[in-house]
Amino acid sequence: MIELAQLDKSDLSSALRRIVEVDAMTIGAERVSYWDIAPDHSQIVCRTLFLRTPHSFDQGAVLRACDFPAYFEAMLSRRTIVADDASTHPSTAEFAEVYFRPNGITSMLDVPVWRRGRLVGVLCHEHVGVPRAWRPEEQDFALGVANMISVALEATAHRHAEEGYSMLTHAVEDVLRDWNIATGEVQFSDAIVSRFAYSLENVTPTIGWWLDCVHPLDRNRVSDAVQRKLASTETHYTDQYRFVCGDARIATVIDRGYIARDVHGCPTRMIGSMVDISERVVMQQRLAVSERLASLGALAAGVAHEVNNPLTYIMANLASALENVRNPELDRDVLCEMLTEALEGAQRVRGVVRDLRALSRPPEEKIESIDVREVIESSIKVARNEIRHRAELVRDLEAVPHVAVDADRLGQVILNLLINAAHAIPEGNIDQHRIRVSTRTENDTVVIEVADTGPGVPVELRRRIFEPFFTTKEVSSGTGLGLSICHSIISSLGGEIEAATAPEGGCLMRVVLPVATRTTIDPSRSEVPEVSRRKILLVDDDADVRKVLCRMLEPMHEVVVVDSGHAALEHILGGETFDVILCDLRMPRMTGMELYDRLREILPAEAQRMIFMTGGASSARATRLVQSSHLIVLDKPVELTALARALHSIAPRR
């Protein structure tokens, strides 16, 4: 038994041959064999048979349950079969004519072999010659040998599992992770080197090391999500986060895991994989930009309509006002009315431009606490012309808590849903069709719904409509990317989007977003502060803009006007000091950003006194620098109230 205990059991075939040989020589049986039981218990197959005379091995014999039902019934009852007289024993007598007499077998001792609580085989001892009585110590020895076979089977299964795991880790590019929750130890596959640029010596096999590699902005959220899963009764975990690679690259990964639990439901182990989806994310962002541009093209006619209408009365009112001023009998009330209408029209055009800029802006996330009703109203303005010829727009916008989202990205989603709803309804018959936009609160979520009276979406297609390039529109009418991008955006914001049947039979698109944990105050809503007199350097290459800004500033402030960044730099380097430098972002020869860079090098305090103005189309570098430096940027056309707040934010010189 000591020899069997020390036997190398990783090679099952060799181990079984040695085990049955030692068993036969020790117990004095002529024939000792091990048989595998079929999973359905229909037969047993001889894995190895040792014959003492001659000293040889055999295998392959098959015994079927249908031929020997009594033996199989006894064997499956999970007890040892001790047949001193095998030909008359009730469990083995059926072998007498076909098996015992041809082989001279008179006595049998068959012991069940178990693995992980399941009957997997039988160890068979067959005596030839005068029948023998199997002594208790021989039965105990046979039981010990059966246990050795069970150990050999387990060792082989373990080796196969390790080989399979090794092959799997080489076959896939995912990083496989095995976390022992009790010890905190984690085993990573070699893909941590090839996919995330870590050397093996720099990988610490602990859960703490993995968590340290999660991006700092995602770390707390990911850690909390894992702990919530472990504390629950769930067995599956999925998350998406950013992961800092060994070469400092920031990868976006999808992490999936299975949580093993003990009999009490406590987590013991988590096995999972990390998949690098960085390239997929970049592609989705590019598709999002393409979809936005496609939406802009589809809306071009509507935008022209929205701009040309107010331009009509802006130009007419300004022309009439100019004529009225020249008239000696000046009617101030009429003049004031015309100028007011012109200003309102200009503000309407400005709103259209602002909404279009939000739609076409690259998808750089700016999470803030917002009221979704404002985003909905902005999207409605852009989509108005697509809707007005097809359906009546019904607003049912209840007051709801704020949500923490990127307003521009949510606006893209709402706009897409509105356009889809409009395109589902044919032009004409406006009185018969409605598009209803509603908001409400459900538990700790805000629900936004866009419902139409079109044909709706069949139930079997409702999950597919969120797949990339799947569209129910005509080939020339849709890219099939809109709802896929909407799904991606809403998921990234921690929400859900789904399709259902509207109360009036059309399609209902439902967006569910979690309520923000705290509400921020929009500074644009605060009162206009009083601003003391400042000395301002105004830098803009457009003469008309300079004139207008001077008129806005000069009643209260001292204004020095220049038309280029170089001229502004000459004033500053000449020793002249200013409280504020109000500068256009994009100018020929020296841009506002280049002026800022130059001042930051030589006079950093002056650089911090800059306020930028932009009409849009800023370079990516300028956008990043402004955001990272916390500088102030005003959108053109500049409003007096916004300009006053910006001036107030920069302290005057003492």
Side-chain angles (χ1 to χ4, degrees):
M1 190 65 72
I2 295 176
E3 178 186 350
L4 294 182
Q6 296 174 344
L7 182 67
D8 179 9
K9 302 176 182 64
S10 59
D11 182 352
L12 183 61
S13 179
S14 298
L16 287 176
R17 288 164 67 97
R18 184 56 182 160
I19 288 172
V20 297
E21 179 183 4
V22 171
D23 187 6
M25 301 302 291
T26 303
I27 209 169
E30 177 63 28
R31 300 158 59 96
V32 177
S33 55
Y34 171 71
W35 301 67
D36 287 319
I37 299 177
D40 61 356
H41 300 161
S42 62
Q43 64 182 25
I44 58 175
V45 179
C46 182
R47 175 77 71 93
T48 184
L49 164 65
F50 174 71
L51 300 95
R52 290 179 62 191
T53 307
H55 192 285
S56 62
F57 292 91
D58 197 2
Q59 63 180 29
V62 178
L63 299 177
R64 294 179 173 81
C66 59
D67 298 326
F68 308 101
Y71 175 78
F72 272 80
E73 182 181 356
M75 178 184 61
L76 295 175
S77 69
R78 304 184 177 187
R79 66 176 185 267
T80 300
I81 300 174
V82 183
D84 295 340
D85 185 351
S87 296
T88 61
H89 192 282
S91 298
T92 59
E94 56 196 2
F95 290 110
E97 297 297 329
V98 296
Y99 186 65
F100 291 159
R101 287 194 176 89
N103 293 297
I105 298 170
T106 57
S107 302
M108 281 184 66
L109 175 61
D110 285 10
V111 182
V113 176
W114 303 83
R115 177 172 174 264
R116 298 188 179 183
R118 186 170 63 90
L119 185 64
V120 295
V122 59
L123 175 63
C124 182
H125 304 79
E126 298 166 344
H127 176 71
V128 175
V130 179
R132 65 183 287 181
W134 301 101
R135 299 189 306 273
E137 60 268 24
E138 291 174 332
Q139 296 178 37
D140 291 341
F141 180 81
L143 285 171
V145 174
N147 289 335
M148 290 295 176
I149 293 176
S150 179
V151 172
L153 294 173
E154 185 64 30
T156 299
H158 182 72
R159 179 171 58 84
H160 287 168
E162 287 184 338
E163 290 175 350
Y165 178 78
S166 178
M167 293 173 63
L168 179 64
T169 59
H170 287 86
V172 301
E173 295 184 348
D174 306 348
V175 175
L176 303 184
R177 184 183 65 239
D178 186 350
W179 174 22
N180 184 324
I181 297 174
T183 65
E185 184 179 1
V186 180
Q187 293 182 357
F188 295 96
S189 65
D190 291 347
I192 195 76
V193 175
S194 58
R195 296 298 294 174
F196 296 118
Y198 279 103
S199 59
L200 288 177
E201 56 269 21
N202 291 332
V203 176
T204 304
T206 64
I207 196 66
W209 178 86
W210 164 77
L211 194 58
D212 286 342
C213 293
V214 175
H215 194 282
L217 296 180
D218 296 338
R219 190 174 298 148
N220 289 339
R221 176 185 62 80
V222 172
S223 177
D224 291 345
V226 171
Q227 293 304 319
R228 283 196 303 271
K229 285 290 184 181
L230 296 181
S232 70
T233 59
E234 298 180 29
T235 56
H236 289 83
Y237 161 80
T238 302
D239 201 354
Q240 179 175 323
Y241 53 83
R242 289 165 291 183
F243 191 80
V244 182
C245 301
D247 57 2
R249 179 176 65 91
I250 305 298
T252 301
V253 304
I254 286 183
D255 194 337
R256 298 184 179 93
Y258 173 79
I259 304 170
R261 298 179 182 273
D262 61 20
V263 293
H264 304 293
C266 297
T268 59
R269 189 177 179 188
M270 181 189 281
I271 300 174
S273 65
M274 296 165 53
V275 184
D276 187 348
I277 60 167
S278 302
E279 293 181 1
R280 188 191 313 173
V281 170
V282 171
M283 182 60 67
Q284 288 176 341
Q285 291 174 345
R286 291 175 180 170
L287 290 175
V289 174
S290 299
E291 181 67 15
R292 290 181 180 208
L293 294 177
S295 299
L296 283 174
L299 291 169
V303 170
H305 183 276
E306 290 298 318
V307 171
N308 285 333
N309 270 355
L311 276 180
T312 299
Y313 61 79
I314 290 173
M315 296 178 67
N317 278 324
L318 289 178
S320 298
L322 183 61
E323 186 67 28
N324 200 317
V325 169
R326 292 170 179 164
N327 189 340
E329 300 177 0
L330 177 64
D331 188 335
R332 291 183 176 276
D333 291 338
V334 173
L335 178 61
C336 183
E337 181 180 352
M338 289 188 291
L339 292 177
T340 300
E341 290 178 358
L343 179 60
E344 290 174 351
Q347 289 173 338
R348 183 173 164 185
V349 172
R350 183 178 186 273
V352 172
V353 173
R354 183 183 61 244
D355 294 333
L356 289 175
R357 286 181 61 195
L359 175 65
S360 60
R361 189 174 299 147
E364 295 182 3
E365 280 201 359
K366 180 180 162 186
I367 304 298
E368 54 188 348
S369 181
I370 65 165
D371 185 338
V372 298
R373 294 176 298 175
E374 296 179 0
V375 177
I376 292 171
E377 290 293 350
S378 179
S379 299
I380 288 175
K381 290 177 185 176
V382 179
R384 181 185 298 143
N385 198 60
E386 290 293 319
I387 297 173
R388 62 188 299 180
H389 302 296
R390 301 170 188 265
E392 175 191 358
L393 179 66
V394 179
R395 294 175 174 86
D396 185 12
L397 305 179
E398 297 180 7
V400 293
H402 283 207
V403 296
V405 298
D406 182 315
D408 294 338
R409 302 188 77 193
L410 179 60
Q412 182 185 356
V413 172
I414 303 302
L415 177 61
N416 193 286
L417 299 183
L418 289 170
I419 296 298
N420 282 352
H423 288 178
I425 299 170
E427 291 190 15
N429 298 321
I430 299 174
D431 295 337
Q432 299 179 16
H433 291 287
R434 277 163 301 285
I435 294 176
R436 181 181 299 275
V437 186
S438 62
T439 58
R440 68 176 185 275
T441 305
E442 284 187 2
N443 300 323
D444 292 330
T445 64
V446 171
V447 179
I448 305 169
E449 291 182 343
V450 178
D452 61 60
T453 54
V457 179
V459 175
E460 63 272 15
L461 297 182
R462 288 179 186 171
R463 298 183 72 77
R464 293 201 62 199
I465 60 175
F466 297 109
E467 297 176 4
F469 305 108
F470 180 85
T471 179
T472 58
K473 299 179 182 179
E474 297 179 2
V475 174
S476 60
S477 301
T479 63
L481 295 175
L483 287 178
S484 172
I485 292 172
C486 289
H487 185 276
S488 177
I489 291 173
I490 295 301
S491 296
S492 71
L493 297 174
E496 298 177 355
I497 181 171
E498 61 180 0
T501 301
E504 296 179 89
C507 178
L508 183 147
M509 298 300 298
R510 180 181 295 112
V511 174
V512 182
L513 295 168
V515 171
T517 56
R518 61 187 179 90
T519 302
T520 58
I521 299 174
D522 185 352
S524 65
R525 296 178 176 272
S526 58
E527 296 182 0
V528 180
E530 293 186 7
V531 183
S532 60
R533 185 173 180 81
R534 309 288 171 88
K535 183 177 181 181
I536 300 171
L537 176 60
L538 173 60
V539 190
D540 200 302
D541 61 310
D542 190 304
D544 292 331
V545 172
R546 294 196 301 271
K547 289 179 183 178
V548 170
L549 290 174
C550 277
R551 293 192 188 107
M552 295 170 65
L553 294 168
E554 282 183 336
M556 285 292 298
H557 307 284
E558 178 186 351
V559 183
V560 176
V561 181
V562 295
D563 61 1
S564 69
H566 288 293
L569 193 59
E570 289 178 4
H571 277 270
I572 297 170
L573 294 181
E576 196 168 358
T577 59
F578 301 92
D579 297 304
V580 176
I581 302 171
L582 184 59
C583 182
D584 189 23
L585 197 57
R586 290 177 64 89
M587 296 182 294
R589 293 184 295 280
M590 177 180 279
T591 66
M593 282 282 75
E594 289 169 341
L595 175 60
Y596 172 78
D597 288 340
R598 184 74 177 118
L599 289 177
R600 195 169 55 170
E601 291 176 4
I602 57 177
L603 296 169
E606 301 302 315
Q608 297 306 312
R609 293 188 171 276
M610 294 190 72
I611 297 174
F612 290 108
M613 302 175 293
T614 177
S618 300
S619 67
R621 175 188 171 275
T623 301
R624 287 195 303 269
L625 182 57
V626 167
Q627 291 176 344
S628 64
S629 303
H630 306 289
L631 298 179
I632 302 170
V633 180
L634 301 176
D635 287 332
K636 291 181 177 179
V638 177
E639 292 183 342
L640 182 59
T641 54
L643 181 57
R645 294 190 192 99
L647 294 176
H648 184 265
S649 66
I650 298 179
R653 292 182 182 276
R654 295 177 181 247

